[in-house]
Every structure is written in C-alpha cells, then in structure tokens.
C-alpha cells in the first residue's frame, strides 16, 4: 500500500512484473525485477528501481526521488501534451517547473486486496501511464496521459525492506564464519576485517517447510548456503541449494545478548569452532554435543544498516546533530522546521559494498574526510574519503571513514573526524529516519472556518488566516514547556514550516517571528470551549486568541463566546479533506520535541494530570491502549499489508472481532518477506500480527464509535476511533491507521464541526465560555490533553 513517506518499489496493474526505474537515463521505464527477498548488497538489486517518496510542504503532494541518482520524477519539458515521456531531473525547488515534479497519489480501487492508485502531476493534471513501448531493450516506457482509469494508469506501492545481514561469531575463537570461493567450497573462520566484508556476512532465510529452521545464505555468493557434509556429517561447506535437511539450521537463543546455538536438522548436528594443534580454528559439526557448553555457542551480530530514507544523525553524548552550513560541517541543535534540510542525510550504498556515501538533503553534497579532523561536503564522491562504514554500539552507530579510519565525533563544540575512542559517547550517533512521526495540527476557527497560517519573510503580519489546512504553513506542533501553579500544562505552539512560535508580540499583535520558548508572550494555555473546541490564552497577557475575518488577534473574550460569535473557539485538526477530519489524539504528543528528542523513546501512556481516579468514569468506556512505537521496518511493512486487506467503507455497530491477521507461513511463503529474528516471537501462531475491532461504545457526547486496534503479539501498535455507521471510505480508514502506526498515536476520524451517527451535520448550539482558574479539578485533563479536541473532550485515558 501507499503509506506516505518512505522508500518503495512501484509497478503498474497492467504489467505487474515490471517495476518503475531509470533504464535509459533520464528516461523512466518499467522493467523486470527479482522477487523478494533481495539483499541490499545483492547483484539482483537494481538501485534505480528504488524511490524515496517525500512529502511536499503543501501537505498534499509528493516528490519521487530516485535512490541511486538523487534525481526526481518529472515530465519532459513540463509538457501537458499526452504521450510526453516521464524523465528524472534535478529538483528545481525554486523554479516555475517545481509543480511538474510534484505528484498526488490518489487511491482508485483494490484488486485482490492490493490497493491501486493513480499518480497525478500537480501542474499538468496528467497521470503516469505504463506503455507497451519497448525501447532498445531498456524496458517499457512510462509516459504522461490524461486519466481514463485503465490498468496502465493504476499503480501499486511496495515498501522496500531488506533481509538482515549477520556476522556468525564463534564464542571460543571470537572469529567470524566466512566463505571465500574455492574449489572445495570449504568455509573458514577468521578475525573481523577492518571494514565490513561480504565474505563474512550471511542471511538467515526462513524455510516454510521446516518450521523454525533457516537456510544460512552467503551474502557475497548468494547461490551458496551453509551445508553439512552428507559424507562425514562433520565438514562445513557452502554449496548451492539442494533442499536437503543438511542445509537446514535451527538457531536457538541461549541468552538475551545474541548468544545462540546453531543446530543442523540432520542428526541434530551442532555447528562449532574446532581448534587444531596450531590453534587454528575452523568450522565443524558435532553430534551429541551440549549447546550449553560455550564451545558450541555463537554470537549472532547484525550488520548495522540505518534507514535508507532521509535521517538525522544525533550525538549520544552532546545531543547535537550533524549539519551542513555552506561547505562546512557543523554541530546543530536540530532542524528549524520541516523544510530545514541542513541536518538531514541519507545513506547511499556503493555498488555491492557494505559501506555508504552520506548525502545532505539540503545541498546534495556528500560527507568527506580527506585528512586530519576536518569534515567537509561536496558533490564529487570519487574516493574512499567519501565512503563510510558503520559499526553498532547498542542502539547507536560508530561511523568510520574508509580513507582515514577516523570516526565522526562531537568535540570542542563542533562536529569533527577523530581517531579511536569507541567507548566515548561523543563518538556514538543515533540515526533516526526523518519521517512525519510527530503529530501537528491546523488551528481552525469556529466562527470563520479559517486556519492560522504562517507568512514567511516578513517582519510584521507573519500570522494570517488561510484555508490550506494541510499545508505546513498552517500546521502547528505543541511542545509543553511547563505547568502553571495549578499544574495545568503550558505550551509553545511551533509552526511546522518555519519552526517559529506563536507570539502575542509585545502584547500588541499576533506574530511568529522567532523560536524563543522562554518569552512568556510565546506561551499559551488551552481551555475547553465546546465539544471539539478550545480557547488559547496567552500566559503573559491573559488574552484570548481570536479571528474575526481580519488579521488574527487577541481580546479579553468578553462577548466572544456566544453561539453567534465564536471567534475565540478553535478546533485542532491533523488533516482535513473535503469531507472528513483526521485528528491525532496522543497524550505524549510533545515528548519527541523535548531536549534530545530523537533519542528519548516514547514512554507508555499515563493518565492526564488531574485525572487520577479513572475507575470513577463510566465502566462501558474502554481503557486507552498503550501504543508502542513500531520502529522495525519489516514489522511496519507487515502491518501495512494487513491494512491493505481491510475492504470496508464504514464500521457498523457490531461485537468485537478480528478484522485481519497473519502468521509466519503467509508472511514468508506468500509475501516473501524476510522477518528478522527480533520480531519473530509468536509468529508461528495465527494472529501474531492482527487488526481487530475491540467493540463499540458511546462517547461522552452521545456518539457511538468503534475502537480499532492493531497488535503485535500483546502490544498495541495502532489505535483508531471511528464513529459507527458513517461512510468514510476504506482509503480514509486505511490512512488513519497508517497515521496511527507512524506516529504511535491514537487517531480519530470525524466530520468537520459535528456529525451524528447517520452522517448529518449540526452546528454547535451550546457553546460555553472557557472556564477560568476556578475550573473544577475534574476538568483539568481537558486542558492537558490538547489532542482531545478531536474527541469532543473525551478523556484519552478512558478511550
């Protein structure tokens, strides 16, 4: 399915074996691709068939960037003429042709539980069309045509995931199992190479017919798997797949630190490292051996591979980020808004080698260490000075230059390349994908229906109103910066486009001119008005934010909270289309934006402050699930495939039931996904990963809603609230689930203003003035949970 930003393979319904790629640069064609699993270093992997799909700041369209070349999908000469070739070009971020490089992805239909989309050019309104025109063996050309809905214009998206590569390390010898091609096909053991080598790396390939067993496939010689000799039941070699049990291996955890035993299905022969008289170790098989004996144990160490999407590199010791300023590499406090790309980088593999160039998103330059401690970046990556190997240190990476052997480090207030010091936390980097993982909101006024919007490059009038609700300039992020004397939270409200904060500037007007969170004019309290609405009260002046159709400003709120004049009431919406709202509801919404925000993990949900006695609430309202962030890319792929299977357009009032589930056999055999060992727990059972309807209930405004949860074993990884008997359409329901999965938030679908179960709309008729400081204790939670604007002030702790 299409799940927003990420890396994908793309193919048409018309030619499902042809994947979009660059095969006659700059022209785009559909061409054959080997089927999964394909290793990241595999000769079968065509890097020009991988696409980074990046959200444009209008909130509606996307850029399709080729992983290999860095160029983006466009129409030749920006022409709207039907039949124009699709090409790749440098991204023209400031030119008039920009919109011809922006594409909208629109769901059209499902076929055999696979969603298909049209990919529409924002400028020409023509769509991608897969032709039957084969050009000089380069594949079948992709062109731009008017939409008519045939299979040639419908496209499916497949998340790009790759099998984990492992070192198999013998505990007694501390050496790595390796295979270097030789006439006898023998394997050997050796110390770790200075930089990762394909000869010492292996895949674990699940075998459906042998439950719990793997083929251990060599990374460099992919046609070879680990083989126990049929002659002596002792010799270990690497041979082509024959299908016998002598090539099937069971890997059993000995402890939680990656220590395992490796046992062949034939005669339960145990793999171990045997030493000869000279102390040289070599791999061997032994029968009747105890796997509790350290002699027969191995360490299974994964090769560190970061996200291949845009990432941020944050130092574990200092909390600083690697950024580029001009040609220099600096230490940054992080991105200034979603379109500040100075601190975003992507890792690009170099041919089949297990090392990378590191490319800056803002400049397209590659990180370089030519000598000494100096780090620079330019666009001519032609030597080992530009190549970087990664090693793992728990959740962190150590990033080493192939030319100088220096590691990226933070020292003396800046980012440098220094020697050694693997134990120094200032040499450790947390690499986090720069996806849209933090919820943001449009602040939409109840009286005017307009949203607060940021106006760039002005010294006055930097906040106006707009109807581009999903644009980054109209989206705001809430960061809690403290509490008042009554323990009610205080927020700064940060514009997603600029990183500027909402400000009652000098107590005179509303601006967003800087990002200082300390100034009291930049701080706001939220207090409930009516159902979905909040008022925003400035901490310094005590004034209420309002919109009356002119420039937004503040007032004392006297006479502004009646049914006829609701200019101080605002609703918070994560995404609005022509009919429905999608609203994030997470109570730890601000925690990723605290200090070292990319390092601190989301914690389990806690009841909002002031809501200590949850059991005093009506018993028919279920507990809010504790949502766990699904950080494993393969697990997210599995969940998204389950979301694809949901084919209902509305949820009826019905008992609890499973909506979709999967197990090991389906994932491995049918989906051809290589599942890494850390998430295999429970996968032999149906429902290992599942999406279920956990009943319906009446919320506190009398609307019956369905409670939908996605679960991995006993952990909740997505949560969606949907009013029953309202036809939202399957794609909107899927998008809500995907948003919940990405952000680890509860998400509610709703209609703008209010809607009843039948879908009819009604205007609010009982708007109340926001309570002052004397608000009863039982209402404190409403001001705390800013995101509850989407659920008519229903406590998140009780959803």
């Amino acid at each position: 399915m299409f799940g927003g930003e990420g890396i994908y393979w793309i193919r048409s319904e018309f030619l499902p074996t042809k994947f979009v790629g660059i095969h006659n640069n700059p022209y785009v064609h559909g061409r054959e691709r080997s089927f999964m699993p394909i290793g990241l270093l595999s000769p079968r992997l065509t890097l020009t068939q991988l696409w980074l799909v990046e959200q444009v700041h209008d909130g509606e369209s996307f850029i399709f960037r080729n992983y290999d070349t860095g160029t983006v999908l466009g129409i030749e000469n920006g022409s709207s003429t039907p039949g124009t070739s699709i090409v790749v070009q440098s991204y023209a971020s400031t030119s008039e042709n920009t919109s011809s490089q922006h594409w909208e992805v629109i769901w059209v239909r499902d076929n055999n539980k696979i969603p298909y989309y049209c990919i529409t050019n924002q400028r020409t309104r023509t769509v991608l069309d897969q032709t039957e025109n084969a050009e000089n063996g380069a594949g079948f050309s992709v062109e731009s045509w008017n939409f008519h809905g045939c299979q040639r214009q419908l496209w499916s998206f497949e998340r790009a995931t790759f099998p984990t590569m492992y070192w198999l390390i013998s505990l007694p010898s501390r050496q790595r199992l390796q295979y270097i091609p030789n006439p006898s096909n023998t394997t050997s053991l050796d110390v770790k190479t200075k930089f990762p080598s394909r000869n010492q790396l292996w895949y674990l390939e699940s075998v459906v017919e042998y439950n719990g067993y793997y083929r251990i496939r060599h990374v460099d010689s992919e046609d070879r798997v680990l083989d126990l000799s049929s002659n002596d039941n002792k010799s270990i070699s690497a041979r082509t797949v024959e299908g016998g049990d002598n090539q099937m291996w069971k890997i059993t955890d000995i402890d939680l630190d990656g220590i395992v035993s490796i046992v062949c299905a034939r005669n339960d022969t145990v793999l171990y490292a045997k030493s000869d008289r000279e102390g040289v170790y070599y791999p061997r098989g032994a029968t009747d051996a105890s796997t509790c004996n350290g002699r027969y144990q191995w360490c299974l160490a994964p090769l560190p591979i970061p996200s291949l999407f845009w990432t941020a590199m944050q130092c574990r010791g200092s909390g600083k980020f690697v950024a580029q300023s001009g040609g220099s590499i600096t230490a940054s406090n992080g991105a200034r808004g979603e379109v500040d790309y100075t601190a975003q980088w992507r890792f690009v593999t170099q041919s089949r080698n297990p090392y990378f160039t590191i490319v800056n998103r803002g400049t397209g330059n590659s990180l370089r260490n030519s000598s000494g401690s100096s780090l620079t970046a330019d666009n001519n990556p032609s030597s080992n000075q530009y190549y970087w190997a990664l090693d793992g240190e728990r959740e962190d990476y150590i990033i080493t230059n192939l030319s100088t052997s220096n590691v990226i480090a933070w020292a003396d207030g800046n980012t440098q390349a220094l020697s050694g010091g693997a134990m120094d936390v200032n040499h450790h980097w947390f690499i986090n994908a720069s996806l849209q993982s933090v919820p943001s909101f449009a602040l939409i006024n109840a009286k005017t229906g307009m949203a607060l919007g940021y106006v760039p490059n002005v010294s006055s009038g930097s906040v106006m109103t707009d109807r581009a609700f999903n644009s980054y300039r109209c989206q705001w992020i809430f960061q809690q910066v403290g509490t008042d004397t009554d323990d009610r939270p205080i927020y700064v409200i940060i514009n997603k486009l600029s990183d500027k904060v909402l400000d009652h500037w000098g107590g005179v007007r509303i601006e967003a001119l800087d990002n200082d969170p300390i100034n009291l004019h930049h701080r706001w309290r939220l207090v409930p008005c009516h159902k979905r609405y909040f008022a925003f009260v400035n901490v310094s002046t005590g004034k209420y934010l309002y919109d009356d159709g002119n420039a937004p400003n503040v007032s004392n709120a006297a006479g502004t909270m009646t049914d006829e004049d609701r200019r101080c009431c605002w609703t918070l919406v994560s995404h609005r289309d022509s009919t429905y709202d999608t609203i994030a509801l997470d109570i730890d919404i601000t925690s990723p934006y605290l200090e070292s925000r990319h390092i601190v993990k989301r914690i389990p949900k806690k009841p909002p402050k002031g809501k200590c006695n949850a059991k005093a609430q009506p018993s028919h309202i279920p507990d809010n699930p504790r949502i766990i962030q699904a950080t494993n890319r393969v697990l997210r792929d599995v969940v998204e495939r389950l979301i694809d299977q949901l084919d209902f357009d509305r949820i009826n009032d019905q008992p609890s039931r499973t909506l979709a589930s999967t197990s090991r056999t389906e994932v491995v055999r049918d989906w051809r996904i290589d599942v890494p060992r850390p998430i295999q727990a429970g996968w032999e059972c149906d429902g290992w990963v599942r999406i279920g309807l956990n009943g319906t209930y009446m919320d506190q405004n009398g609307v019956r809603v369905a409670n939908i949860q996605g679960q991995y074993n006993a952990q909740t990884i997505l949560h969606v609230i949907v009013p029953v008997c309202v036809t939202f359409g399957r794609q909107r329901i899927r998008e809500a689930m995907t948003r919940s999965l990405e952000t680890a938030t509860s998400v509610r679908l709703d209609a703008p203003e209010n809607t009843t179960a039948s879908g009819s709309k009604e205007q609010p008729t009982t708007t109340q003035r926001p309570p002052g400081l004397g608000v009863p204790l039982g209402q404190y939670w409403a001001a705390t949970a800013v995101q509850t604007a989407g659920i008519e002030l229903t406590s998140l702790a009780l959803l």
Side-chain angles (χ1 to χ4, degrees):
M1 71 174 293
F2 179 69
E5 288 192 320
I7 302 183
Y8 296 90
W9 284 289
I10 305 169
R11 52 180 163 171
S12 72
E13 187 180 27
F14 176 59
L15 296 176
T17 63
K18 313 294 182 185
F19 290 77
V20 176
I22 307 170
H23 301 293
N24 186 17
N25 199 354
Y27 295 98
V28 174
H29 299 80
R31 200 172 186 182
E32 296 288 342
R33 185 211 76 179
S34 295
F35 280 90
M36 293 290 282
I38 302 174
L40 181 61
L41 306 181
S42 171
R44 297 179 294 149
L45 176 63
T46 304
L47 293 176
T48 57
Q49 291 180 327
L50 286 174
W51 299 90
L52 282 75
V53 180
E54 306 167 14
Q55 178 81 64
V56 178
H57 61 76
D58 62 8
E60 303 287 352
S61 60
F62 296 89
I63 297 165
F64 288 71
R65 186 185 306 274
N66 190 266
Y67 173 80
D68 188 50
T69 66
T71 49
V72 302
L73 207 63
I75 302 177
E76 192 170 31
N77 300 320
S79 173
S80 60
T81 303
T84 301
S85 295
I86 299 298
V87 295
V88 288
Q89 310 158 328
S90 297
Y91 184 50
S93 59
T94 58
S95 80
E96 148 183 352
N97 291 328
T98 299
S99 59
S100 69
Q101 297 174 338
H102 294 174
W103 303 84
E104 297 172 11
V105 181
I106 303 168
W107 176 79
V108 178
R109 67 165 183 252
D110 292 353
N111 184 5
N112 196 26
K113 296 187 177 182
I114 298 175
Y116 285 93
Y117 306 81
C118 68
I119 303 175
T120 304
N121 189 268
Q122 195 176 57
R123 180 182 182 188
T124 66
R125 307 313 298 173
T126 53
V127 302
L128 293 190
D129 186 292
Q130 175 66 76
T131 74
E132 295 179 272
N133 303 327
E135 300 181 359
N136 299 322
F140 297 85
S141 63
V142 179
E143 298 174 351
S144 170
W145 288 84
N146 294 323
F147 180 68
H148 46 77
C150 69
Q151 288 184 325
R152 294 157 45 132
Q153 298 179 339
L154 299 182
W155 304 86
S156 65
F157 291 77
E158 179 183 335
R159 286 273 189 189
T161 58
F162 300 97
T164 304
M165 292 172 275
Y166 293 94
W167 286 290
L168 275 61
I169 307 169
S170 161
L171 282 193
S173 69
R174 299 295 176 181
Q175 295 179 347
R176 284 150 172 78
L177 182 67
Q178 67 180 15
Y179 171 66
I180 299 173
N182 62 86
S184 301
N185 299 313
T186 56
T187 59
S188 58
L189 289 163
D190 203 348
V191 296
K192 181 183 178 183
T193 54
K194 182 176 181 180
F195 299 113
S197 166
R198 294 192 306 269
N199 290 332
Q200 294 184 337
L201 292 170
W202 303 81
Y203 302 120
L204 303 183
E205 182 180 293
S206 298
V207 183
V208 175
E209 297 79 10
Y210 286 78
N211 189 10
Y213 284 83
Y214 302 88
R215 290 190 184 97
I216 302 177
R217 188 177 294 275
H218 194 239
V219 166
D220 188 49
S221 304
E222 281 193 329
D223 62 329
R224 303 282 169 162
V225 298
L226 202 64
D227 181 285
L228 175 66
S229 172
S230 300
N231 296 325
D232 62 11
N233 206 41
K234 294 179 181 180
S235 300
I236 305 296
S237 58
R239 299 183 180 276
T240 57
V241 175
E242 299 170 351
D245 60 0
N246 63 314
Q247 295 180 338
M248 308 299 173
W249 302 85
K250 189 168 189 176
I251 298 177
T252 304
D253 290 309
I254 302 297
D255 61 26
L256 299 179
D257 293 324
I259 306 303
V260 301
S261 63
I262 304 176
V263 181
C264 185
R266 178 165 293 179
N267 300 325
D268 290 330
T269 303
V270 179
L271 180 68
Y272 76 108
K274 184 175 181 178
S275 174
D276 62 18
R277 292 180 179 179
E278 285 74 32
V280 176
Y281 285 90
Y282 57 96
R284 199 73 170 162
T287 56
D288 300 321
S290 171
T291 57
C292 295
N293 187 326
R295 181 185 180 192
Y296 301 100
Q297 294 175 0
W298 299 76
C299 178
L300 204 60
L303 175 72
I305 298 290
S307 169
L308 301 183
F309 195 72
W310 297 108
T311 65
M313 295 186 286
Q314 186 180 21
C315 179
R316 173 66 69 177
S318 67
K320 299 293 185 178
F321 294 81
V322 181
Q324 181 177 5
S325 177
S328 301
I329 303 303
T330 63
S332 163
N333 289 323
R336 319 290 299 176
E338 292 288 345
V339 296
D340 176 6
Y341 298 144
T342 60
Q344 293 189 26
W345 306 81
R346 70 186 181 97
F347 290 75
V348 183
T349 55
Q350 296 305 300
S351 185
R352 294 190 58 217
N353 298 303
Y355 47 79
F356 304 86
T357 53
I358 305 176
V359 181
N360 184 266
R361 187 170 186 176
T363 65
N365 291 341
S366 297
L367 196 61
R368 178 188 186 191
N369 178 221
S370 57
S371 62
S373 63
S374 175
L375 284 170
T376 58
D378 59 48
N379 59 3
N380 187 33
S382 56
S383 71
N384 283 353
Q385 297 174 4
Y386 297 88
Y387 298 155
W388 302 86
L390 275 66
D391 209 343
E393 184 62 36
R394 296 187 182 273
E395 294 181 330
D396 301 337
Y397 295 85
I398 299 170
I399 309 171
T400 306
N401 186 267
L402 265 64
S403 175
T404 65
S405 297
N406 289 338
V407 301
I408 300 177
W410 185 86
D412 300 325
N414 214 334
T415 305
Q416 304 181 40
L418 302 177
S419 60
M423 301 305 294
D424 188 339
V425 292
N426 286 318
H427 296 186
H428 297 177
W429 297 88
F430 184 83
I431 302 176
N432 190 45
S434 299
L435 297 167
Q436 301 290 319
S437 58
V438 178
S440 61
F441 302 89
L443 279 55
I444 302 175
N445 189 262
K447 177 180 174 65
T448 65
M450 302 287 282
L452 282 189
Y454 171 74
V455 181
N457 305 318
V458 297
S459 58
S460 178
S462 56
V463 178
M464 300 298 286
T465 54
D466 203 321
R467 288 192 181 275
F469 304 118
N470 304 323
S471 170
Y472 287 6
R473 68 177 183 272
C474 290
Q475 290 279 316
W476 303 80
I477 295 165
F478 287 76
Q479 176 183 339
Q480 185 176 346
V481 292
T483 57
D484 63 16
T485 56
D486 293 296
D487 205 26
R488 294 177 301 184
I490 295 172
Y491 298 94
V492 291
I493 304 173
I494 308 166
N495 184 258
K496 188 173 182 177
L497 178 68
S498 66
D499 205 40
K500 307 297 186 185
V501 301
L502 195 65
D503 173 15
H504 188 194
W505 188 85
V508 177
R509 64 180 188 268
I510 297 299
E511 297 284 1
L513 297 175
D514 63 53
N515 57 5
D516 176 16
I518 305 301
N519 191 322
L520 294 182
H521 286 92
H522 299 178
R523 297 184 169 199
W524 302 83
R525 287 199 316 269
L526 275 70
V527 289
C529 299
H530 163 82
K531 293 189 176 181
R532 288 181 55 169
Y533 295 97
F534 285 90
F536 295 85
V537 183
N538 188 264
V539 169
S540 177
T541 63
K543 304 283 182 143
Y544 289 72
L545 181 68
Y546 76 84
D547 179 33
D548 60 2
N550 299 306
N553 212 322
V554 295
S555 75
N556 291 321
T560 62
M561 305 302 290
T562 64
D563 293 341
E564 293 75 23
D565 187 0
R566 296 174 289 143
R567 59 180 180 161
C568 285
C569 295
W570 304 81
T571 187
L572 281 70
V573 174
S574 301
H575 187 275
R576 172 171 285 185
D577 60 22
S578 60
T579 311
Y580 297 110
D581 287 345
T582 303
I583 306 152
L585 309 172
D586 194 24
I587 62 175
D588 68 351
I589 181 173
T590 61
S591 64
Y593 271 71
L594 299 176
E595 187 69 24
S596 300
R597 55 187 176 271
H598 293 289
I599 287 177
V600 178
K601 289 186 174 181
R602 289 180 176 271
I603 60 174
K605 307 297 180 288
K606 297 179 181 178
K609 294 177 180 178
K611 195 69 175 180
C612 299
N613 188 14
K615 293 183 179 179
Q617 295 303 309
S619 60
H620 62 276
I621 299 179
D623 288 339
N624 187 45
R626 295 172 179 263
I627 303 177
I628 303 300
Q629 186 88 49
T631 57
N632 186 283
R633 293 187 290 272
V634 175
L635 178 58
R636 290 184 58 179
D637 186 20
V638 171
V639 177
E640 287 181 348
R641 287 173 184 258
L642 285 183
I643 293 173
D644 285 351
Q645 297 181 11
L646 303 178
D647 57 1
F648 47 79
D649 298 312
R650 58 190 274 167
I651 303 291
N652 295 321
D653 195 355
Q654 55 188 295
S656 299
R657 65 185 181 91
T658 299
L659 302 174
S661 67
T662 191
S663 64
R664 169 187 174 274
T665 300
E666 181 178 40
V667 170
V668 174
R669 182 189 63 197
D670 301 339
W671 297 350
R672 300 190 180 191
I673 294 177
D674 180 84
V675 179
R677 296 187 75 247
I679 63 170
Q680 288 180 6
W683 73 330
E684 68 279 357
C685 303
D686 289 337
W688 161 62
V689 181
R690 62 195 180 279
I691 299 172
L693 171 63
N694 288 11
T696 63
Y697 64 94
M698 197 74 71
D699 72 11
Q700 293 183 352
N701 289 290
V703 176
R704 181 160 288 279
V705 295
N707 184 34
I708 300 173
Q709 294 184 31
Q711 293 184 302
Y712 159 61
N713 289 323
Q715 297 179 337
T716 298
I717 53 179
L718 70 83
H719 179 221
V720 174
I721 304 160
V722 182
V724 302
C725 303
V726 179
T727 302
F728 290 98
R730 68 192 64 180
Q731 187 57 21
R732 290 190 182 91
I733 295 172
R734 288 170 177 166
E735 289 171 353
M737 291 182 180
T738 303
R739 186 179 294 263
S740 176
L741 181 66
E742 289 174 347
T743 60
T745 64
S746 298
V747 169
R748 172 155 177 163
L749 282 175
D750 215 337
E753 300 290 347
N754 296 315
T755 185
T756 64
S758 63
S760 63
K761 298 179 183 177
E762 59 180 21
Q763 293 294 324
T765 57
T766 59
T767 302
Q768 303 170 6
R769 184 168 180 166
L773 292 178
V775 59
L777 274 174
Q779 295 182 25
Y780 277 0
W781 67 270
T784 299
V786 53
Q787 63 282 5
T788 59
I791 58 169
E792 293 86 28
L793 306 188
T794 302
S795 167
L796 279 181
L798 300 170
L799 275 179

